[in-house]
Amino acid sequence: FSLDLAADCNAILKGLQPIFQEQGMTETVHNWEDHGYLVTYIKKNGSFANLRIHPHGLVLVDLQSYNDDMKGREEVDQLLNRVEERMKELFHGNIKRVKRLPAILRGGVIDRYWPTADGRLVEYDIDEVVYDEDSPFQNIKILHSKQFGNILILSGDVNLAESDLAYTQAIMGSGKEDYTGKEVLILGGGDGGILYEIVKLKPKMVTMVASNIDQMVIDGCKKHMRKTCGDVLDNLRGECYQVLIEDCIPVLKRYAKEGRMFDYVINDLTAVPISTSPEEDSTWEFLRLILDLSMKVLKQDGKYFTQGNCINLTDALTLYEEQLSRLYCPVEFSKETVCVPSYMELWVFYTIWKKQTGI
């Protein structure tokens, strides 16, 4: 509750006391002269409520209950309804705002809460754990969402859902490129989505390789993400593609030494780091190394596609763009913002190409 006036802490406490006492809840009151009240109500079944009254006019009620059946939820709603009615009686229209948040379910078998890139907590409509395994590199989860289909989550990071064709199309150039007869290099992409879509476009050869590409990711996706990858992960080699289970750094160095060149390089490895703090330094160095090596194997008129990060992380995106001015060869770039359904946020994608120098 946000009030239009200073809170009379004692009056609020006395006004709400009967509601909790009728529930058989014992009361503990903490009073700070300048900082209001904190009141805890505890029921014999372990349920409890915290009532926090701030003198400036903010009143918070947090109710926690172990009951997860319909009857338990109804009891919680009835109690909160009574608190809301009583507060309106006490303040006679001086309540500026009432905000009731939905219940957060802690410790459930199915984890429905995942953070966005810019630090907001999103509750998904997840109803099934499809796959949950630890590989030598990471935790791999595939969870089913009623809206988005199966979602691949790697070490707590939402990677891709079956609904997210927009992501795959954006990192391939948003339908503006002709891949017919072209040489394509994919870095990462273990979910198989990019490979599946490019193979449809009749390229000459697609090579997919990643830094510590995780065979368990491939195994999980080819079984549980077939709407994304189709059948391309069933075999590591096809008529116009090959999947290399290798570290991409040595592969890129080898290709550069051999003079092997590609029309397109698509980087679907880690997203742009969100800071330049010490723990992120190695990630920035990794990205710069990938960029430099990619430019060495990219044809003069070729294009490099990559994801950036969410549009709200403007500082991180600016830092990434600064890295582009530090490569061994001059480059130019453009960017596009796309709504990726399961991310529940707008995502920035980059197209980078070698700067053409005149005579």
Side-chain angles (χ1 to χ4, degrees):
F1 303 89
S2 180
L3 309 180
D4 273 330
L5 68 171
D8 184 337
C9 299
N10 193 48
I12 294 173
L13 175 59
K14 289 184 176 180
L16 297 181
Q17 270 178 338
I19 297 173
F20 296 103
Q21 289 172 349
E22 288 169 6
Q23 299 291 317
M25 304 176 86
T26 59
E27 177 185 89
T28 304
V29 180
H30 303 274
N31 178 11
W32 301 277
E33 290 184 4
D34 298 325
H35 301 287
Y37 286 19
L38 170 63
V39 189
T40 302
Y41 296 95
I42 302 176
K43 203 171 184 177
K44 289 182 179 179
N45 66 359
S47 300
F48 67 93
N50 289 327
L51 171 63
R52 182 71 171 95
I53 308 170
H54 295 271
H56 67 275
L58 180 65
V59 181
L60 306 175
V61 180
D62 178 26
L63 180 61
Q64 295 193 26
S65 173
Y66 186 72
N67 294 327
D68 192 30
D69 54 21
M70 187 60 66
K71 182 180 178 182
R73 294 179 188 180
E74 289 177 355
E75 290 176 354
V76 168
D77 284 339
Q78 289 171 3
L79 178 58
L80 292 176
N81 287 340
R82 291 196 62 196
V83 169
E84 185 172 333
E85 291 168 3
R86 183 63 180 135
M87 284 292 291
K88 290 177 179 177
E89 291 172 2
L90 289 171
F91 289 96
H92 306 291
N94 288 317
I95 297 178
K96 182 165 54 178
R97 183 167 56 123
V98 178
K99 181 70 173 180
R100 188 186 296 192
L101 301 176
I104 295 177
L105 305 179
R106 296 175 170 90
V109 175
I110 299 175
D111 188 356
R112 300 163 60 96
Y113 305 97
W114 298 93
T116 60
D118 61 349
R120 292 172 292 112
L121 187 63
V122 173
E123 179 178 1
Y124 287 84
D125 58 346
I126 291 168
D127 58 6
E128 182 185 358
V129 178
V130 176
Y131 183 87
D132 189 356
E133 298 289 343
D134 289 312
S135 79
F137 309 109
Q138 60 201 327
N139 173 259
I140 306 161
K141 285 184 173 66
I142 299 177
L143 307 179
H144 180 263
S145 157
K146 298 173 186 177
Q147 293 183 83
F148 306 122
N150 287 344
I151 305 175
L152 174 65
I153 299 175
L154 300 179
S155 296
D157 182 33
V158 175
N159 269 236
L160 197 74
E162 291 177 318
S163 64
D164 295 343
L165 181 59
Y167 176 100
T168 304
Q169 291 175 332
I171 206 170
M172 290 171 52
S174 294
K176 301 171 186 175
E177 305 300 322
D178 181 5
Y179 284 91
T180 306
K182 301 297 175 62
E183 291 274 359
V184 184
L185 177 64
I186 303 172
L187 307 176
D191 53 71
I194 299 171
L195 179 61
Y196 179 56
E197 295 301 323
I198 288 184
V199 165
K200 296 177 186 178
L201 303 177
K202 309 300 181 184
K204 180 179 179 181
M205 175 56 67
V206 184
T207 301
M208 187 171 94
V209 62
S211 178
N212 290 333
I213 192 168
D214 199 328
Q215 181 66 53
M216 289 180 67
V217 173
I218 291 178
D219 292 341
C221 289
K222 73 181 180 183
K223 183 175 182 181
H224 302 294
M225 299 280 290
R226 293 188 78 83
K227 289 182 181 178
T228 296
C229 66
D231 60 358
V232 295
L233 297 180
D234 293 350
N235 298 290
L236 297 183
R237 288 184 179 272
E239 183 178 344
C240 62
Y241 72 88
Q242 60 177 340
V243 179
L244 305 181
I245 312 296
E246 298 182 46
D247 186 330
C248 70
I249 299 296
V251 173
L252 282 169
K253 289 180 177 178
R254 183 172 74 245
Y255 286 168
K257 185 176 180 180
E258 294 171 353
R260 185 172 176 184
M261 305 296 283
F262 295 87
D263 297 284
Y264 296 99
V265 177
I266 302 175
N267 180 351
D268 193 32
L269 297 167
T270 183
V272 169
I274 61 173
S275 75
T276 54
S277 58
E279 61 269 21
E280 300 286 359
D281 283 349
S282 60
T283 308
W284 281 112
E285 291 173 4
F286 173 73
L287 286 180
R288 282 195 297 270
L289 178 58
I290 291 292
L291 276 164
D292 262 331
L293 290 172
S294 296
M295 291 303 113
K296 290 179 180 178
V297 301
L298 185 68
K299 292 181 180 179
Q300 189 62 36
D301 60 350
K303 291 182 180 179
Y304 174 96
F305 296 118
T306 189
Q307 62 163 318
N309 216 313
C310 85
I311 196 170
N312 286 343
L313 293 175
T314 54
D315 290 344
L317 295 171
T318 299
L319 289 169
Y320 178 75
E321 291 167 17
E322 290 176 359
Q323 307 306 312
L324 300 180
S325 65
R326 302 177 184 177
L327 303 182
Y328 86 94
C329 66
V331 299
E332 295 178 308
F333 70 91
S334 64
K335 54 187 175 181
E336 177 185 19
T337 301
V338 173
C339 179
V340 181
S342 76
Y343 288 15
M344 299 194 196
E345 55 189 337
L346 297 178
W347 209 254
V348 178
F349 294 83
Y350 286 91
T351 302
I352 302 167
W353 59 92
K354 295 178 180 178
K355 189 173 183 178
Q356 302 299 318
T357 56
I359 299 176

